[in-house]
Structure formats: C-alpha cells, structure tokens
Amino acid sequence: MFLQLVYRRAYSGGVPELAEVDQLKDDDRLTAWRLFLESYRRVLDTLDDELQSERGLSLAWFDVLVQLFNAPDHRLRMNQLASRILLSKSGLTRLVDRMEAAGLVERASSPTDRRGSFAVLTPRGEGVFRDAFPVHLDGIHKHFARHLTAAEARTLAKVFEKIRGPLTSAAECAPPD
Amino acid sequence: MFLQLVYRRAYSGGVPELAEVDQLKDDDRLTAWRLFLESYRRVLDTLDDELQSERGLSLAWFDVLVQLFNAPDHRLRMNQLASRILLSKSGLTRLVDRMEAAGLVERASSPTDRRGSFAVLTPRGEGVFRDAFPVHLDGIHKHFARHLTAAEARTLAKVFEKIRGPLTSAAECAPPD
DNA sequence: CCATGATGGTTGTTCTTGCAACTGGTTTAC
DNA sequence: GTAAACCAGTTGCAAGAACAACCATCATGG
C-alpha cells in the first residue's frame, strides 16, 4: 500500500469540487508527504532484505533483540516489549514463540506478579544481535543518514517530533478547542 | 515492528566493539531516523483508523481508488497498479477481487493483449473516492502537513528525494565508485 | 508454421498480524 | 474475607500479504 496522492493532477484536472479543499495549495507539503511515504517503504524494504540476506534475520526479530539488549538485565515484560515495537499483545506472543523456538529469547516468569512473564535475551540471542547490529547500522547509514546534512537531520528531528507528539498515545482523544 | 534503535545506550553502555562503528557519532541523524520510523507508523495508523471509521474504507482500498482515479480513462493494467501501490502481483489480484465484489472496480480485458486485464474504476467507486478524498486530505493536513513550515516542507522533499532516489528500482545495483 | 522462451494474471500455500474471547492472577470495595 | 473489577498473557479465528507454481497468451527464431 503506497498512496501516491492526487495532488496536482486532481487539482488541475477535472475535479473542481475537490480543488476547493484549501490544503491542496500546500504543494510542497504534499510533495513532502508523498516522498515521505515512498521513502519509508523503500528504505525499510531494503533494510529488511539486506538484513535477511546477510544475517537471515527479519527487521521484526532484530527489533526485539534491540529492545531486549537495551533493557536492564536484558529482559522486558511482554507488555512493554509489545508497546515498544508497536505490535499487538497477541502478535508479540507469537513472535516471542518463534524466537524462543529459535533459541534467541526465553520466557521467565515474574517473581512479583505471577501473571506476567519476561522475555529475556539468551546468550545466543545476544550473539546474533551483535552480529547483525553493524549490518543494520550500516544500512541505515547507506540508505538514510548519508543523505542528511547535520542541519537537515536536526530539521527532520524537530519536525517529526511535532508530528509524532500528538499521536503518541491514543490519537485524537480531546482535540483542543 | 518499530525498531527503536540502540544509539546512545549501546554507545555509552557496555558495548565497546559496537561503539567503534563511526556512524554512532551521528546522533542527530539517528534521532531523525528513529523519529522517522515512529512518525510513519503512528501517522499511517491514525489515517487508516480515521478513514476506516469515517468512511469504512481502508487506506489500501483508498490507494487503489486514487490510482485509478488519476489514470487516463480511470483504468490501469493490473501490472502497473500493483507497482504503483507497492503490492505484489498476487496481493493485487486478491485486493481487486475484494473491491470488485464491493462494486468499486471492475476488470476489463485488454483488446490488444488478451493476457492482460485492466482494473477500471466504476461510477460507484468514483463516488466512494470523491467522498473519502476530503477525509484523507484533511487527515494528512491534521497529522502531517500542519506541522511543517514551507521551508521545512522543502527540506523534507529535498531530503526524501535523495533518500528514495537510489532505491527506486532495484536496491544496490551498482553503487557508484 | 511450430518450438522456445518471456510475460500478465491467478491460484495454492504459508506466514504474520489483529481482534475478541478466554484463563489465571491481582487489586479493590464492601 | 470474599465478590467484583481489572490486568497480563495466550488462544481461536479470520484477514491480508508474499512466494512459488501454474495457465494462458504473446514474441522470437528456426
């Protein structure tokens, strides 16, 4: 799904009633939007392919490894892990199932709350992570960071912070005013 | 899958051999990367939810409608449509099946090449598109464009053009030099 | 003209994901 | 202390997507 938008074509073409929508004048912004979408898809696909072919690891798996590696004691509650990688509870259950079968993570039950369990990085998982990390970082550099000057990077960070900000938890809770 | 990266933590933490990787110094760039990922996910999820709840349409369906609406004669070869919305051939076959069942598009066989078929926007599909378009455009404004100054929009466009550029067809064909 | 190969789409299969329902454990209120 | 509400994680189920194998058609070369 990619969503190259109507933009100019709908505007100058035969859709007068749509042209009324005044955001259509924001050509630069919509161009930015379109390129944003396309860049994401293409860069992520490329990174996934590279990691897959060079280390046999999907980005989703890598993402779990990253999170656990960064977590204190190399462990996280399923709960937290799910929200950090933006995956549903059930999705994470299955993902951890698969990674456990591959020996990269383990489950450990929480001593304080017997409902909960931790996902814990195994030594093997840590090894795989350390092995894959440079590949991924190199990919980010090659396909993304390399194209940014320092100033541009700061601009992007600023802008995306604003964009992400209002959506962080539940979208559209109480639109102010 | 989200991929909040290691960054500072892996750098300043206990992973000396990883810290050697010199892209790690590019803090601003990696921050931009992280926010880029998160923004995409959150904005797209939000737009999808809004379109879904306000018009009962997924972004994927909307994307097809956009493409067909823009195409000459409101029709595209399956082939082309698939590549424009970044979906696999088989994925598109099924997607068009579903949309055909819903009466939004039709298939028409090509007169010149009897292998090929077109996906064609039906009047009903066009109506649905015109109805959903403002909702989507408004969403883009609310959750994305609104946060950009004109200068920032131009910066984003420039940067993403560079990022997307080299990956447009097959990634990594022949890295120059 | 016919054999060979390329191309456009569809179908079989499998994988991943989300939602809703469920189980078992914890907290709160009476 | 116990019932009710709540929470963490798992499971059944169905939708969406990719890959490979497949069929039909077109293009090429003898």
Side-chain angles (χ1 to χ4, degrees):
Chain A
M1 189 258 300
F2 165 51
L3 273 179
Q4 166 144 27
L5 258 192
V6 187
Y7 311 138
R8 230 170 298 253
R9 186 127 36 161
Y11 186 46
S12 59
V15 198
E17 75 274 25
L18 295 182
E20 303 300 333
V21 182
D22 72 357
Q23 286 94 31
L24 272 174
K25 294 180 201 137
D26 294 346
D27 253 3
D28 286 337
R29 292 188 181 83
L30 289 177
T31 302
W33 170 250
R34 182 169 51 76
L35 289 168
F36 169 65
L37 293 181
E38 191 170 355
S39 297
Y40 178 91
R41 279 290 305 255
R42 295 206 183 275
V43 172
L44 268 284
D45 283 358
T46 305
L47 290 179
D48 198 17
D49 288 351
E50 286 181 4
L51 197 59
Q52 193 73 252
S53 69
E54 289 175 37
R55 292 294 186 273
L57 207 61
S58 73
L59 275 184
W61 285 37
F62 183 74
D63 202 4
V64 169
L65 298 180
V66 169
Q67 297 304 331
L68 293 180
F69 182 80
N70 274 342
D73 235 354
H74 290 183
R75 70 182 50 210
L76 279 174
R77 289 293 289 264
M78 296 293 282
N79 224 352
Q80 297 214 302
L81 184 50
S83 86
R84 292 203 191 181
I85 67 177
L86 300 185
L87 195 65
S88 66
K89 288 188 303 175
S90 60
L92 183 67
T93 293
R94 266 77 177 243
L95 179 53
V96 168
D97 285 348
R98 297 192 291 274
M99 294 182 69
E100 197 169 18
L104 304 186
V105 304
E106 288 175 343
R107 273 175 238 249
S109 40
S110 161
T112 65
D113 183 342
R114 267 188 320 195
R115 292 170 299 184
S117 44
F118 289 96
V120 190
L121 196 59
T122 63
R124 170 126 186 261
E126 186 176 337
V128 168
F129 167 70
R130 285 173 187 270
D131 184 46
F133 183 66
V135 174
H136 181 64
L137 205 58
D138 188 52
I140 293 175
H141 179 73
K142 260 194 319 199
H143 303 302
F144 182 88
R146 170 166 80 81
H147 301 287
L148 275 63
T149 66
E152 288 167 344
R154 279 191 297 274
T155 300
L156 259 67
K158 198 179 81 185
V159 160
F160 284 131
E161 196 118 29
K162 274 193 290 183
I163 288 173
R164 181 211 50 172
L167 301 170
T168 356
S169 51
E172 299 301 289
C173 289
D177 109 327
Chain B
M1 187 259 297
F2 165 52
L3 271 179
Q4 167 144 27
L5 259 192
V6 187
Y7 310 142
R8 231 170 299 250
R9 188 133 27 164
Y11 186 49
S12 60
V15 198
E17 76 274 25
L18 295 182
E20 304 298 334
V21 181
D22 70 359
Q23 287 95 30
L24 273 173
K25 294 179 200 139
D26 295 346
D27 252 4
D28 287 337
R29 292 189 181 84
L30 289 177
T31 302
W33 169 249
R34 183 169 50 75
L35 290 167
F36 169 65
L37 293 182
E38 191 170 356
S39 297
Y40 178 91
R41 279 289 305 258
R42 296 207 183 273
V43 172
L44 267 285
D45 282 358
T46 305
L47 290 179
D48 198 18
D49 288 351
E50 286 181 4
L51 197 59
Q52 194 73 250
S53 69
E54 289 175 36
R55 292 294 185 274
L57 206 63
S58 72
L59 275 184
W61 284 38
F62 182 75
D63 202 3
V64 170
L65 298 180
V66 170
Q67 298 304 331
L68 292 180
F69 183 81
N70 274 342
D73 236 354
H74 289 184
R75 71 181 50 209
L76 278 174
R77 289 291 291 262
M78 295 293 282
N79 223 352
Q80 297 213 305
L81 184 50
S83 87
R84 292 203 192 180
I85 67 178
L86 300 185
L87 193 66
S88 67
K89 288 189 304 175
S90 61
L92 183 67
T93 292
R94 266 81 179 236
L95 179 53
V96 168
D97 286 347
R98 297 191 291 272
M99 295 183 68
E100 197 169 18
L104 304 186
V105 303
E106 289 175 342
R107 273 175 238 247
S109 41
S110 162
T112 64
D113 183 342
R114 270 190 319 198
R115 289 170 300 185
S117 44
F118 289 96
V120 190
L121 197 59
T122 63
R124 169 124 187 263
E126 187 176 335
V128 168
F129 167 70
R130 283 172 189 272
D131 184 46
F133 182 67
V135 174
H136 181 64
L137 205 57
D138 188 52
I140 293 174
H141 179 72
K142 260 193 318 197
H143 304 301
F144 183 87
R146 172 166 79 80
H147 301 288
L148 275 62
T149 66
E152 288 167 346
R154 279 191 297 275
T155 299
L156 258 67
K158 197 178 84 188
V159 160
F160 284 131
E161 196 119 29
K162 274 193 289 182
I163 287 172
R164 182 211 49 174
L167 301 170
T168 355
S169 51
E172 297 303 286
C173 290
D177 109 324

